[in-house]
Amino acid sequence: MRIEDIDKNFKVETNIEREGLIFQNVLNTAPFKVHGLMYLDGKYRRLPEEIAKGTNPGVHSLHANTAGGRLRFKTNSPFVAIKAVMPTVYNWVHFPMTGSSGFDLYVDNSYFRTFVPPIDLPSQKQYESVHDLDGEMHEILIHFPLYSEITEFYIGLKEGCEIAEADAYKTELPVVYYGSSITQGGCASRPGMAYQNILSRRHSCEQINLGFSGSAKGEQIMADYIAGLEMSVYVQDYDHNAPTNEHLEATHEKFFLTIREKHPDIPVIFATRPHVADNTFGNYSGQRAAIIEKTYNNALNRGDKNVYYLDNAALTALCGNEGNVDNTHPTDFGFMSMANAFSGIFDKILK
């Protein structure tokens, strides 16, 4: 007998018609593994709620958005289905719902399809979707939404298929990213195109995305939390959210030094905003970049040999001023340009 015939609590209602379709909750269920998220108090989160609440209201509101979340496993199922319960769903005119609320399916590390959310998802609060495969054994990667919350997530496969663990990441300690809405992934057309997700696939590295739209302001409680994480690389990228130049200068180096005290040897990458247009009208971005570069140069002058700096020119080298959707947030083209800039450093530091 099937488990859902024995215990009705295991049965997941669905409108998907596939012979032998069985849904499983991926939470703490081997060989499925969710990366980049923790499950606490009934929902997936990027950090504990008490840390988020103690940082600022924006971080508290966004900390359960699933940016950077991934599900990985192997299977020979002839189809892969999902069912997601999402109490908070974001919908904007300049950000596709496939990016803010969709799931991306990658097969053997190559993009295959997107589990496209319905247009009425904000009122419906849940959806299910399915894509057919060839029935051969493949490694499956599903990128979670960038700007929505998930309380329940089920994966649907054919009854009796093989399921195995995905290969381990080559770099198992995570790359930790702290920054703004750009770090969180706005406005990628789909989750797989956020630059951190590109880098995770390209370099086979674990990651934690601590990007908080409009809310990454360099608070000490966040610095202390990040310093307490195990990580392979730290990326500091909150230029956009510091309310003033003075605020950025007062917090940027202090934030880095908190991390460096607990992690004296890991590579640290400082990034400015990828914002070509600002360079055309005044020097606002230039002033910000000078503050960030000062943190970098001070570290070099102290003998720190494991710090790196990416400025606007490097981050937009591929896309120029064509890589954004609203003079701020990158398109997929902009995110690919950023990923290429980071890759130049990752090639050196991820051995």
Side-chain angles (χ1 to χ4, degrees):
M1 296 181 67
R2 299 184 304 176
I3 184 63
E4 63 267 31
D5 295 327
I6 301 170
D7 185 346
K8 300 303 181 184
N9 292 318
F10 280 88
K11 185 174 179 61
V12 178
E13 297 296 334
T14 179
N15 293 316
I16 297 174
E17 296 183 359
R18 292 292 188 281
E19 184 179 354
L21 170 62
I22 298 292
F23 274 106
Q24 300 179 63
N25 191 327
V26 302
L27 185 63
N28 300 322
T29 304
F32 304 112
K33 186 171 182 180
V34 176
H35 299 259
L37 300 170
M38 55 189 73
Y39 193 85
L40 299 170
D41 300 321
K43 67 174 64 174
Y44 291 93
R45 305 173 191 267
R46 292 182 286 156
L47 73 166
E49 186 175 17
E50 62 270 20
I51 301 298
K53 188 179 294 185
T55 305
N56 65 56
V59 170
H60 186 216
S61 178
L62 297 164
H63 83 284
N65 290 182
T66 55
R70 287 145 287 135
L71 174 69
R72 300 173 71 236
F73 62 97
K74 291 181 179 180
T75 187
N76 65 350
S77 174
F79 54 78
V80 175
I82 66 161
K83 185 179 181 71
V85 178
M86 304 168 69
T88 301
V89 177
Y90 291 94
N91 190 10
W92 296 284
V93 295
H94 68 317
F95 190 176
M97 283 185 65
T98 46
S100 65
S101 307
F103 296 79
D104 269 353
L105 172 60
Y106 279 72
V107 176
D108 297 330
N109 213 39
S110 294
Y111 174 67
F112 185 72
R113 298 285 190 276
T114 296
F115 295 105
V116 177
I119 194 67
D120 61 348
L121 179 60
S123 60
Q124 187 175 320
K125 304 296 187 185
Q126 63 179 1
Y127 78 101
E128 54 188 30
S129 181
V130 63
H131 291 300
D132 293 311
L133 303 177
D134 62 5
E136 300 296 324
M137 199 71 175
H138 295 289
E139 185 162 287
I140 302 298
L141 162 65
I142 298 176
H143 286 294
F144 282 23
L146 300 170
Y147 269 77
S148 296
E149 297 183 359
I150 303 172
T151 53
E152 299 174 46
F153 185 75
Y154 304 92
I155 197 76
L157 305 171
K158 185 176 178 61
E159 184 178 20
C161 71
E162 294 182 60
I163 313 172
E165 289 187 8
D167 294 339
Y169 281 119
K170 292 180 181 178
T171 301
E172 295 192 52
L173 285 181
V175 179
V176 176
Y177 301 86
Y178 173 62
S180 66
S181 55
I182 294 175
T183 307
Q184 189 171 342
C187 290
S189 70
R190 52 184 181 79
M193 291 309 296
Y195 81 85
Q196 304 89 346
N197 287 339
I198 296 172
L199 291 168
S200 179
R201 296 191 305 273
R202 187 180 290 178
H203 295 276
S204 184
C205 58
E206 180 64 278
Q207 58 142 324
I208 297 174
N209 185 320
L210 296 178
F212 303 103
S213 189
S215 304
K217 300 178 180 179
E219 293 93 341
Q220 189 60 40
I221 186 175
M222 184 61 68
D224 291 337
Y225 174 75
I226 293 174
L229 298 174
E230 288 189 299
M231 56 183 132
S232 59
V233 181
Y234 168 60
V235 177
Q236 186 160 303
D237 181 24
Y238 71 96
D239 175 4
H240 255 304
N241 288 168
T244 64
N245 290 359
E246 291 74 21
H247 181 97
L248 183 63
E249 185 153 28
T251 59
H252 194 269
E253 185 167 28
K254 182 181 178 183
F255 200 104
F256 158 63
L257 291 175
T258 299
I259 309 299
R260 184 51 96 208
E261 181 179 1
K262 292 291 185 68
H263 299 274
D265 301 317
I266 65 168
V268 174
I269 304 173
F270 305 110
T272 70
R273 59 177 64 191
H275 213 198
V276 168
D278 268 356
N279 294 341
T280 308
F281 305 104
N283 63 352
Y284 182 70
S285 286
Q287 293 168 356
R288 293 288 185 118
I291 293 168
I292 296 167
E293 191 171 13
K294 180 181 176 182
T295 300
Y296 168 69
N297 286 328
N298 285 348
L300 291 177
N301 291 334
R302 288 191 297 270
D304 193 329
K305 300 184 184 300
N306 219 0
V307 289
Y308 302 85
Y309 173 65
L310 288 173
D311 64 8
N312 175 70
L315 294 168
T316 60
L318 173 65
C319 65
N321 201 34
E322 296 290 344
N324 70 83
V325 68
D326 56 1
N327 206 31
T328 299
H329 298 97
T331 59
D332 294 355
F333 189 26
F335 276 124
M336 185 61 72
S337 185
M338 293 182 69
N340 286 352
F342 277 93
S343 275
I345 297 175
F346 279 29
D347 285 338
K348 301 174 185 176
I349 63 179
L350 294 181
K351 304 297 186 185

